[in-house]
Amino acid sequence: MTPDSIDNFLSLYLRSLYEESREVKAGPRYGFDRVIHQIAIADGSTPVRLPFFRGARDKLPKPKKEAEHGVDMSFISPDREILTVFVLKDEALTYKNFIGEGMDKDLRMAAMPDLKDPALADIKRVRVVLGYNKDEDEEGVEQFELLAGSHQTRLKRGIRLEFDRWNLTKITELAKERLLSPSLLPDSFYNKFSYICAQYGDFDATSPHWSELLIPDWREFLDDVLQGPTKETKLRLVSIALIILSQHAKTDAKGRKTSGAALGWIEIVEWAMLALWKASAAAPKKTSRKIKRIVVELWFTFYLEELQAFYREHAQSLTSTHSLEIPGEELEDAGGSYRAHWHLGRLGLLSMALSEIIQSHDETSRQVGLAMLHEVQEWTVGLLNSNPSCFRPMLDIQHIEQFLVWRSLAVLNRWEDLEAWLHELTERIYVRYMGLCGITGIDYRNSWELLMDDLSGTDPRQSIPTASSYLLLMLMELCLSLPEGRGDAIVKSIHSRFVVEHEDESKRPKNAAGPVDLISWSPPEDWGDRILAGQDDGGYGITVALDHDNPASSLRNFVTKSLEVEAGKTFPACLPSVLILGCLRHSIPVPPAMWRHLRFAHQGEGEAAN
Amino acid sequence: MTNQRQNNTDSEPSAEGDDLLASLRASLIAAADRDLPPQNLMIEASSIKAVECRPELLSRIVDQVFQTQSSDRDSFYESLGRLNHILPFGSEGRTILGLVWQAALLRLPEDERESKLEEFPRNEDGAFFGLLEALPIVLRKIRLSPARALPWFRRIRVVLGEDLCNRGYWCGIDAWTETDPVNARDVLDKISEHFPDDDTLSLGARILATLRRQGADCHRKVGMAEIEQTWPTHPESTKRLLHHRSWVETCRWKEISDDDVARLLQRLDAAGPEEVGEGFTFIRFLLNLGKTPPASIDLMIKWLRSHVTAKAPPMWIFTACMAARVAIKDGAPIWKSEHLEALLQLVLDCQPIPEGHAGTWAEIDQLIIALFKDSTADTTEFLARLFDSNPGGLRKLFDHTSRSRSCFMEMTRWSGLPKLLMEMFSVSTNRRQLAISLINSGMPLNLVQSELAALNESRIALGILQARLDGLRPQAASGLLLQLLPRIENGSEELKSLFAEELSYQAKNLPGLCLEAFKKSEKSSPVLKAAIAEAESYLESLRAASASPVSAMCIPGLRRARVTTQRRRSLEITKTTKEASVFLQLVKSFHIIYGNEGFASYLHGTLSPPTPFQEFSKSAEMPRLDLMDRDGQVLRRHHIVLQIRSLEKRCASPNSNDA
């Protein structure tokens, strides 16, 4: 994340705030009075007047119902000689607002402070500051200058009077300089977010503590922020929380970010993105376009750009041979598979998101997008070539990453590469099912903990269930996408090797697993929302028995029939890449519609890409 | 004091015997009064003679033995057992025991005597085996009716079980047969009239062999001529079996002529499998005696070859291998040169012998050692063919960790070894596998460069691919590749490319052993340099990757699973180590819980000074690539097999000069 983008998001957040924080019927309203208050406190100033009662823990402050006389809040400097009086307005400084919104009146009243208070006995200077978190125009500024120039410069006891104004830029600068901490967030989130920052800086990324403590807290925080009607401020608040959190990454003794921090950051952002997309889906119609635009902006800036920057920085390491394998460690077959599929998933997602950009931009953006797409694809191919564990799915849910590999190759019409990939992938899985290499088949329980437990036992082959597979059926369907029916032979090979029971069992190797049942899935109507919400898969499973003599034709027939049945279901409005992120994070299977739909769509896309 | 030496033992046997009586009395009383282990008496030959010559002395000893009882409940055999305890081991003690037992029985009325004898196999107080040794002496004077004798001997056999202390039993049968041949013949007839079990058959065969040993008078009395004439071809199989097996017994004491062997084996040729089995037993006994003339061995080998197959019972196969070993080891050089092919074929016919048949493999082990001393060409041929038929067994034979080191050590000194190792470039798969198997077992690798230079490229490629397929021992991989280097330098680009790929693979697979060896090598070959550079670049990239965040992720459940796996493996190693170590089985081991610098012990009231711990460890480099990509290795091997097949076809093609 660049300093400019931090300025931009900070400014957008501050701009979205109200004048004062308070609880209203429609929910919490976050004001920039809290920001001004925290900036003053950060300077070491002492509050003299505050317009609110500080709230209880995790509650917003309660506004005071008393005459303000133009003064929103005032602070005395650490040397007790300067009294700063703030007049806050969540309006733009225009001629109209200067008069109409009472800026002029409030400034004049604020310029006559009551200095009888013994605490103000040493005051030598009074600064009246007009703080506003919107834009300004020349006339507005002129009016302010006129007022400041025409007003007396001395008060009683010879105290000097000055006028100043803090516009959005000034407040942003000050906030960035002094307040890039949980204090920048509304009072109600301060404690929780402080704790999250502490955990983020303490736990090793993706460690058990991280997954069991930090991530649940972070998701709960996001839910709290985004609860109720979706508003711009809440979305901006998430972006600010991310910016602040990024400043708290775990460092080593030399102050450098630990090696896992980058991966941890990606996970943090992913959860935030899912929460934002979920909130955007729930936005009222009136504001939904605006909300979606903001979420897309955050999606690109915080997630896709970060992901791309990560891979650009580490592509060389990632694509060097055996970069993800740790030789000599126990259970590395599974360990390598986890790492490789993690990267395959993110690269595939990046590729998918880029191809979505290409579809919706002008020609220049299209060309830039295409160049980036090629770059991502080279990383994917490099990863596949250098790490054999990319071909070693251990859990059935890893079909998501395999689907993404297929998609990223298919989108650029790399059919020969796809054919080779499908061939090698199925060969390697077959070797495992035949018990020829000591690696078990694909566990359909989809739990790494259970898999690892069983792998550490005495007889993993007996304890790990592998007799049903969604992944294999998906691969068979993907084979159908190969041009000129070239995938039919692979479909037949998968079917005869994995599915068909051998007539002569004695010819099977001793440790071979039994035949596999092909399982498909018909998701429920609202599968898009369910994926974003992380609800369990729902829908119904389908057992698929193909014709032994011509499995490819039989499979085509099954796909056609399934498409007819699914025709009534609407494809979610959300970006497909976001849905895939939801599948990855919540371990929800990719609905078959994703590849059945793309199977027809990618042709045009690929042609365009070329 | 147990006895006193007398100078005039022959002239005054009485004094000698009296002394023995006194010593016996003292020892018996001491053994009865005190619950202490008895002290053995010293008995000289003259004392035994005195006991044999002086019935009254023997009678007094018997009185003494049966009067000196530690309790009133002492039985007949307990008293004899107590006597046995104080007598020395060996023939002297055995003779005295037998004489006392015999005399005690003779004192009894006939029916009581028989019932006492009946009690003997039921004797369960531990004296059975001690008394059994004295049985032949007893049976020299005690008569057993045929009706009682057979079940009695069989009961003794049952009590004996699989115990090898059975000398007294067999000698007892001999003694009884010699003493009472007519009754023995009756027993023999009884046995021959039924289908006896194997033990009873052996009993009958022993009686028959003992009768055969007797003089002409005895032969007349028992009708030996009729037995010898009719039983070998008798229609009743039991009689035939008894006769065949009796020859096994006979060859213990009689010099068997070539004619005897020929006759017996000829008769067995036409017989059923049970009798053929007798033939194997006969041959085994004969060979064990070590006096078999070459002509007989020749006959036996021929007979064995006509009866041995891989499906034959293990004992037949053992006999065949033993015969081959004896013939090769002890046969005259000229005879051997004529029959070597047949002998080796005999062993090959028995394959595959299971690896667990250690006795049979020990015979083959000795046979191969004998071959190493004699020839080279035949040995190479034989080993290759043996490997064809039983690769696992031969591999285990040369694995010095699993069997004796003798064969392994002999082979390392064998002059034909370099030539045999050159078989790794053979067109025959089995020969290549054998050579690689030998390299992997740790044989000194010294390829004959002149032969390598003459070999064509397809065969060199076959060798490289076979080594890749079978996998080379880490220590051997670098040695083999470096020795091949000069030949490759003069080879085609295709061969260089194949070799470079292998060099690079091994350098990455075993950076500790291979890459270091390549770097240390003085050969400045461009192929070698390129492989080193590639491997170093690969390792450097890996180091960079491991420091980057790409693999810095925790995997759910992995840490705990690793702990569980390591704990399970550690327990397995501890168990296996304990099972494999005789030392650990004998000595109690302790796990020191606290204190990591050393240990002391407090034993029998003494506290030892602390002894520092000593650490023993052995490390080995694991092949990285093979472990990292186990599924990929299977596919890789599959591709290599296809490459090898294609090369083999090329070599076998009539137009090819690669063969």
Side-chain angles (χ1 to χ4, degrees):
Chain A
M1 202 175 299
T2 61
D4 282 351
S5 63
I6 292 178
D7 283 351
N8 182 36
F9 281 106
L10 203 52
S11 146
L12 287 169
Y13 167 64
L14 291 171
R15 195 176 183 284
S16 73
L17 295 174
Y18 292 94
E19 183 186 313
E20 61 178 14
S21 307
R22 62 176 162 157
E23 203 67 55
V24 293
K25 269 188 185 174
R29 274 171 60 162
Y30 306 123
F32 76 105
D33 54 346
R34 155 94 178 160
V35 179
I36 300 295
H37 172 257
Q38 289 299 327
I39 290 171
I41 297 291
D43 271 347
S45 301
T46 310
V48 176
R49 186 197 180 265
L50 291 176
F52 50 76
F53 297 108
R54 290 183 184 90
R57 188 183 165 92
D58 298 341
K59 296 278 179 202
L60 284 176
K62 208 171 172 184
K64 288 176 182 171
K65 289 179 180 170
E66 61 182 19
E68 292 175 347
H69 305 294
V71 178
D72 282 312
M73 56 178 76
S74 58
F75 297 87
I76 188 163
S77 64
D79 58 6
R80 324 291 289 177
E81 290 183 353
I82 304 169
L83 175 70
T84 307
V85 178
F86 285 101
V87 176
L88 302 180
K89 296 288 173 191
D90 57 348
E91 305 291 343
L93 176 57
T94 59
Y95 176 79
K96 189 183 163 193
N97 288 341
F98 197 73
I99 307 297
E101 294 296 328
M103 289 180 181
D104 178 59
K105 186 184 157 200
D106 286 352
L107 281 170
R108 285 177 195 283
M109 287 169 73
M112 295 183 288
D114 180 5
L115 301 171
K116 281 177 234 153
D117 189 337
L120 305 176
D122 299 332
I123 292 296
K124 291 181 180 158
R125 198 148 58 105
V126 172
R127 282 171 67 210
V128 177
V129 178
L130 173 64
Y132 54 97
N133 66 338
K134 302 287 186 303
D135 294 324
E136 62 210 6
D137 63 12
E138 255 180 54
E139 286 179 339
V141 174
E142 204 173 300
Q143 285 302 311
F144 175 81
E145 296 296 340
L146 271 174
L147 173 68
S150 64
H151 209 281
Q152 58 180 5
T153 55
R154 295 279 169 183
L155 298 173
K156 286 177 188 171
R157 304 201 312 254
I159 297 168
R160 248 176 67 198
L161 175 69
E162 294 168 0
F163 284 90
D164 197 356
R165 63 186 173 90
W166 286 5
N167 60 9
L168 184 60
T169 312
K170 174 80 176 170
I171 298 170
T172 305
E173 258 174 37
L174 289 169
K176 188 182 171 190
E177 187 185 316
R178 297 172 203 178
L179 216 57
L180 223 45
S181 70
S183 305
L184 188 56
L185 267 55
D187 280 33
S188 49
F189 299 119
Y190 175 76
N191 285 317
K192 187 170 271 181
F193 190 62
S194 296
Y195 183 48
I196 288 170
C197 287
Q199 290 181 80
Y200 183 67
D202 188 24
F203 297 158
D204 285 330
T206 71
S207 65
H209 284 106
W210 172 285
S211 309
E212 287 159 20
L213 296 172
L214 170 61
I215 295 299
D217 282 353
W218 172 237
R219 290 179 65 189
E220 194 183 307
F221 168 80
L222 291 168
D223 285 347
D224 286 352
V225 169
L226 296 168
Q227 72 177 347
T230 309
K231 289 179 182 169
E232 182 187 354
T233 317
K234 293 179 181 177
L235 306 180
R236 300 289 180 201
L237 204 156
V238 172
S239 71
I240 294 306
L242 282 169
I243 290 171
I244 295 169
L245 204 53
S246 71
Q247 313 293 314
H248 288 76
K250 184 169 183 171
T251 52
D252 60 17
K254 290 180 182 169
R256 292 174 305 200
K257 279 187 183 176
T258 56
S259 57
L263 297 178
W265 173 243
I266 290 172
E267 185 177 354
I268 289 285
V269 175
E270 284 177 350
W271 286 117
M273 291 303 122
L274 285 177
L276 288 171
W277 279 103
K278 187 180 150 197
S280 111
K285 257 192 178 170
K286 202 169 69 178
T287 55
S288 70
R289 279 178 75 99
K290 185 185 173 192
I291 293 294
K292 195 173 176 189
R293 206 180 57 240
I294 295 169
V295 172
V296 169
E297 182 193 4
L298 296 175
W299 168 251
F300 283 122
T301 314
F302 279 91
Y303 188 51
L304 299 182
E305 282 180 13
E306 287 286 290
L307 211 53
Q308 192 183 26
F310 173 82
Y311 282 112
R312 206 164 264 168
E313 188 181 346
H314 301 295
Q316 200 179 351
S317 294
L318 188 71
T319 54
S320 57
T321 313
H322 300 140
S323 56
L324 301 176
E325 323 281 345
I326 303 175
E329 290 285 350
E330 301 281 0
L331 310 174
E332 251 313 288
D333 300 320
S337 166
Y338 181 93
R339 286 182 217 105
H341 281 77
W342 196 94
H343 289 294
L344 282 179
R346 270 65 197 177
L347 285 171
L349 219 121
L350 192 53
S351 158
M352 195 168 175
L354 286 170
S355 67
E356 285 160 0
I357 300 172
I358 292 167
Q359 287 173 340
S360 59
H361 275 68
D362 58 64
E363 188 53 33
T364 316
S365 307
R366 226 172 116 77
Q367 290 307 321
V368 174
L370 254 180
M372 283 158 67
L373 190 61
H374 277 286
E375 186 184 24
V376 174
Q377 198 192 52
E378 284 313 309
W379 296 336
T380 308
V381 172
L383 175 62
L384 286 170
N385 288 339
S386 57
N387 283 286
S389 37
C390 292
F391 296 87
R392 198 185 302 136
M394 299 300 292
L395 301 183
D396 197 72
I397 199 68
Q398 285 177 308
H399 71 266
I400 305 170
E401 290 88 345
Q402 299 298 343
F403 157 72
L404 287 169
V405 172
W406 171 81
R407 199 198 175 286
S408 56
L409 291 175
V411 85
L412 290 177
N413 282 347
R414 294 180 68 157
W415 300 112
E416 283 184 9
D417 290 339
L418 261 178
E419 191 178 351
W421 168 74
L422 279 165
H423 194 264
E424 179 158 3
L425 181 61
T426 51
E427 287 285 321
R428 282 175 177 261
I429 297 175
Y430 176 65
V431 161
R432 289 162 54 191
Y433 271 81
M434 286 300 103
L436 300 174
C437 63
I439 306 174
T440 55
I442 299 168
D443 185 349
Y444 60 68
R445 294 170 302 179
N446 292 336
S447 157
W448 283 102
E449 282 88 354
L450 287 178
L451 174 74
M452 292 296 180
D453 256 9
D454 287 337
L455 284 177
S456 66
T458 47
D459 192 0
R461 289 198 168 270
Q462 291 299 319
S463 50
I464 296 174
T466 58
S468 290
S469 183
Y470 183 73
L471 187 147
L472 281 175
L473 183 62
M474 182 197 78
L475 290 181
M476 288 167 87
E477 287 195 30
L478 297 186
C479 288
L480 297 182
S481 69
L482 294 178
E484 299 155 17
R486 292 213 302 260
D488 290 15
I490 308 178
V491 170
K492 193 167 185 181
S493 155
I494 295 176
H495 190 257
S496 65
R497 285 170 157 190
F498 293 93
V499 182
V500 178
E501 263 185 75
H502 280 245
E503 284 171 12
D504 186 359
E505 279 300 312
S506 64
K507 284 184 184 165
R508 284 170 79 86
K510 197 177 138 198
N511 292 323
V516 176
D517 297 324
L518 298 174
I519 305 292
S520 187
W521 175 48
S522 175
E525 288 280 347
D526 58 343
W527 60 270
D529 295 339
R530 278 170 173 267
I531 286 176
L532 290 178
Q535 288 167 350
D536 59 359
D537 37 11
Y540 57 89
I542 306 167
T543 61
V544 181
L546 300 177
D547 179 16
H548 285 15
D549 296 329
N550 195 345
S553 160
S554 177
L555 183 62
R556 274 196 189 89
N557 192 28
F558 165 69
V559 171
T560 310
K561 282 199 162 46
S562 298
L563 284 170
E564 283 167 17
V565 172
E566 305 280 317
K569 294 179 186 171
T570 47
F571 203 87
C574 185
L575 288 174
S577 54
V578 176
L579 294 173
I580 292 294
L581 175 63
C583 291
L584 279 172
R585 285 266 62 117
H586 297 299
S587 291
I588 293 175
V590 178
M594 294 288 264
W595 60 79
R596 288 173 188 163
H597 165 72
L598 286 167
R599 199 186 134 212
F600 302 106
H602 72 72
Q603 302 284 357
E605 205 175 277
E607 280 160 19
N610 283 336
Chain B
M1 206 304 280
T2 51
N3 73 342
Q4 289 176 353
R5 287 186 173 277
Q6 301 285 325
N7 293 330
N8 52 350
T9 48
D10 286 336
S11 57
E12 292 178 17
S14 61
E16 188 86 41
D18 289 344
D19 227 23
L20 176 64
L21 180 64
S23 306
L24 262 176
R25 183 187 298 130
S27 290
L28 284 167
I29 290 168
D33 287 351
R34 282 171 288 169
D35 190 17
L36 288 172
Q39 197 173 7
N40 283 345
L41 289 167
M42 292 280 285
I43 300 175
E44 292 192 355
S46 54
S47 303
I48 295 168
K49 198 173 176 186
V51 176
E52 282 173 332
C53 297
R54 293 176 56 195
E56 84 285 357
L57 177 62
L58 181 59
S59 175
R60 283 164 64 196
I61 291 174
V62 171
D63 290 344
Q64 190 60 58
V65 168
F66 289 92
Q67 278 168 12
T68 318
Q69 292 176 348
S70 58
S71 77
D72 294 339
R73 286 170 299 170
D74 269 6
S75 72
F76 181 81
Y77 288 105
E78 278 171 359
S79 301
L80 284 172
R82 211 170 47 253
L83 172 66
N84 184 38
H85 270 244
I86 62 167
L87 291 172
F89 294 111
S91 62
E92 293 85 1
R94 199 162 55 231
T95 308
I96 297 287
L97 181 66
L99 290 171
V100 172
W101 186 4
Q102 187 192 74
L105 285 173
L106 287 170
R107 277 182 181 186
L108 300 171
E110 195 165 346
D111 55 338
E112 205 180 326
R113 184 188 311 152
E114 287 198 345
S115 75
K116 278 281 179 255
L117 274 174
E118 290 286 324
E119 280 176 29
F120 171 63
R122 289 198 293 267
N123 164 26
E124 289 166 355
D125 63 356
F128 173 79
F129 284 98
L131 296 179
L132 187 68
E133 288 286 296
L135 191 63
I137 296 165
V138 177
L139 293 180
R140 269 191 212 127
K141 284 200 177 166
I142 303 295
R143 294 178 74 84
L144 285 167
S145 65
R148 283 181 181 266
L150 181 58
W152 189 70
F153 277 122
R154 283 170 63 172
R155 275 206 306 280
I156 296 176
R157 184 71 190 85
V158 170
V159 176
L160 257 175
E162 296 298 316
D163 206 298
L164 293 175
C165 292
N166 54 13
R167 186 176 165 279
Y169 170 71
W170 295 112
C171 293
I173 295 167
D174 293 347
W176 175 72
T177 308
E178 283 163 14
T179 311
D180 194 359
V182 177
N183 275 345
R185 167 69 205 253
D186 279 357
V187 168
L188 187 60
D189 285 340
K190 269 188 194 306
I191 292 171
S192 72
E193 281 159 15
H194 300 94
F195 294 103
D197 59 28
D198 197 64
D199 287 337
T200 313
L201 199 69
S202 296
L203 167 64
R206 185 74 178 210
I207 291 171
L208 182 52
T210 311
L211 289 174
R212 188 177 287 135
R213 201 163 54 174
Q214 305 310 307
D217 282 353
C218 175
H219 282 182
R220 249 195 322 278
K221 271 190 228 167
V222 299
M224 194 65 196
E226 178 253 334
I227 292 176
E228 296 286 28
Q229 208 170 355
T230 59
W231 283 30
T233 54
H234 201 280
E236 290 171 23
S237 66
T238 311
K239 286 195 168 65
R240 293 199 306 274
L241 275 172
L242 277 168
H243 189 265
H244 300 325
R245 195 172 289 189
S246 73
W247 276 98
V248 174
E249 301 296 335
T250 300
C251 68
R252 289 176 193 277
W253 52 268
K254 190 185 169 197
E255 195 81 25
I256 301 285
S257 69
D258 291 342
D259 286 346
D260 289 336
V261 174
R263 239 189 342 267
L264 184 71
L265 294 180
Q266 203 176 3
R267 278 200 299 266
L268 291 173
D269 261 343
E274 233 179 301
E275 288 162 80
V276 171
E278 292 304 318
F280 280 94
T281 314
F282 171 71
I283 292 173
R284 204 166 55 249
F285 267 86
L286 212 55
L287 292 171
N288 263 333
L289 293 172
K291 299 180 287 189
T292 325
S296 288
I297 293 185
D298 193 13
L299 280 171
M300 285 187 234
I301 298 292
K302 277 182 190 153
W303 188 86
L304 287 169
R305 280 200 65 190
S306 62
H307 288 92
V308 170
T309 62
K311 287 178 184 167
M315 193 49 87
W316 294 18
I317 288 176
F318 169 76
T319 309
C321 294
M322 181 188 174
R325 187 262 299 167
V326 170
I328 290 173
K329 209 172 171 188
D330 304 333
I334 297 171
W335 179 85
K336 265 196 296 189
S337 63
E338 283 174 17
H339 297 85
L340 192 60
E341 169 64 24
L343 290 168
L344 298 179
Q345 190 55 49
L346 178 62
V347 177
L348 293 171
D349 290 345
C350 304
Q351 302 299 333
I353 298 169
E355 290 170 32
H357 291 187
T360 311
W361 278 106
E363 293 296 335
I364 298 173
D365 180 286
Q366 291 303 309
L367 180 147
I368 293 172
I369 291 173
L371 282 175
F372 288 151
K373 288 176 183 161
D374 281 354
S375 56
T376 55
D378 290 321
T379 311
T380 307
E381 180 65 25
F382 171 66
L383 290 175
R385 284 166 63 192
L386 187 57
F387 194 81
D388 286 353
S389 47
N390 194 350
L394 193 62
R395 215 172 265 149
K396 199 165 178 189
L397 191 71
F398 292 121
D399 178 5
H400 60 81
T401 56
S402 62
R403 290 219 177 89
S404 78
R405 285 181 64 87
S406 54
C407 195
F408 176 82
M409 292 308 292
E410 286 296 332
M411 192 168 210
T412 57
R413 290 191 284 264
W414 178 43
S415 59
L417 180 63
K419 204 163 178 60
L420 181 61
L421 294 185
M422 285 299 290
E423 292 290 333
M424 78 170 282
F425 305 105
S426 163
V427 182
S428 149
T429 308
N430 290 317
R431 288 180 182 229
R432 290 197 304 271
Q433 285 179 337
L434 171 64
I436 287 164
S437 177
L438 289 172
I439 293 171
N440 278 339
S441 74
M443 292 294 164
L445 180 64
N446 196 4
L447 297 177
V448 187
Q449 288 298 332
S450 56
E451 286 189 29
L452 265 183
L455 273 179
N456 75 37
E457 295 200 344
S458 297
R459 290 182 56 177
I460 300 276
L462 270 175
I464 294 171
L465 289 171
Q466 191 71 50
R468 195 186 279 181
L469 183 66
D470 290 0
L472 278 177
R473 190 170 57 95
Q475 291 82 352
S478 58
L480 175 70
L481 292 172
L482 287 173
Q483 287 191 36
L484 279 175
L485 196 55
R487 172 67 183 87
I488 303 297
E489 297 275 81
N490 299 322
S492 67
E493 286 306 311
E494 197 186 351
L495 184 65
K496 275 183 190 163
S497 155
L498 176 77
F499 183 75
E501 194 189 318
E502 187 59 19
L503 269 181
S504 165
Y505 182 85
Q506 293 299 353
K508 292 175 194 169
N509 196 30
L510 300 159
L513 284 165
C514 283
L515 182 59
E516 289 308 310
F518 294 162
K519 284 202 254 180
K520 281 178 195 161
S521 165
E522 290 164 2
K523 291 168 184 158
S524 60
S525 148
V527 184
L528 190 63
K529 277 183 185 166
I532 293 171
E534 192 186 331
E536 285 189 328
S537 147
Y538 162 78
L539 294 170
E540 187 52 45
S541 307
L542 273 188
R543 275 189 282 274
S546 72
S548 85
V550 291
S551 56
M553 58 183 82
C554 301
I555 299 163
L558 180 62
R559 196 182 299 180
R560 197 181 65 182
R562 276 189 180 148
V563 171
T564 312
T565 311
Q566 280 160 7
R567 197 177 55 207
R568 185 166 52 76
R569 198 149 291 167
S570 166
L571 286 172
E572 279 168 11
I573 290 171
T574 309
K575 194 179 158 201
T576 318
T577 313
K578 202 164 184 180
E579 280 169 5
S581 165
V582 177
F583 180 73
L584 285 178
Q585 284 174 22
L586 293 174
V587 176
K588 178 167 171 49
S589 61
F590 294 89
H591 287 275
I592 303 293
I593 310 169
Y594 310 110
N596 59 6
E597 290 171 6
F599 69 99
S601 54
Y602 177 72
L603 188 66
H604 301 316
T606 310
L607 179 64
S608 72
T611 310
F613 286 129
Q614 294 207 357
E615 215 169 84
F616 301 95
S617 68
K618 194 175 178 182
S619 58
E621 186 175 15
M622 304 297 280
R624 303 173 69 259
L625 303 188
D626 299 351
L627 291 176
M628 267 194 298
D629 184 17
R630 293 194 287 169
D631 38 354
Q633 286 304 318
V634 177
L635 298 179
R636 186 172 181 258
R637 288 168 59 81
H638 177 67
H639 292 307
I640 294 170
V641 168
L642 295 180
Q643 277 179 284
I644 287 177
R645 273 189 204 153
S646 150
L647 277 170
E648 281 176 343
K649 261 188 198 166
R650 198 194 294 175
C651 292
S653 138
N655 299 330
S656 163
N657 53 5
D658 292 350

